[in-house]
Amino acid sequence: MNAQRGKLVSGGRLQVPAEFRRALGIDDGDTVIMEVKDGELHVRPYREVLRRVQDRLRRYVPEGVSLSDELIAERRAEAERE
């Protein structure tokens, strides 16, 4: 994809060209993650960042294990002890 000009508008909002929004799969109101690296602004859809984190953590969870089920069971056991 070729570089395109954008524009800062009132309130520091950045207008992102429609072609870029379509390529990223983002719409008005979607949450994005922004960071500055080496003087450049990087914008990524939040759902993509979340998916990457989940993929990285998945290798530490044994097959067939539900961490949320384990957490709920621990909380219930703790509540019973109180």
Side-chain angles (χ1 to χ4, degrees):
M1 183 172 296
N2 293 328
Q4 293 186 18
R5 287 174 50 159
K7 188 180 244 182
L8 272 180
V9 295
S10 67
R13 291 192 227 46
L14 179 65
Q15 287 183 330
V16 178
E19 182 181 352
F20 289 1
R21 294 192 311 269
R22 280 191 298 272
L24 291 171
I26 57 175
D27 279 314
D28 290 350
D30 286 352
T31 301
V32 295
I33 300 297
M34 295 177 280
E35 59 185 329
V36 175
K37 288 185 180 178
D38 301 322
E40 298 177 348
L41 176 63
H42 294 245
V43 179
R44 297 177 290 162
Y46 177 78
R47 69 180 174 287
E48 181 61 25
V49 173
L50 181 59
R51 185 194 60 76
R52 286 183 187 183
V53 169
Q54 289 170 334
D55 287 348
R56 286 182 183 166
L57 293 176
R58 192 166 285 122
R59 65 180 141 171
Y60 299 108
V61 180
E63 187 72 30
V65 172
S66 170
L67 293 181
S68 57
D69 288 345
E70 286 187 3
L71 177 61
I72 291 168
E74 286 177 13
R75 299 295 176 169
R76 286 182 178 153
E78 186 177 309
E80 288 176 10
R81 286 191 298 269
E82 291 179 354

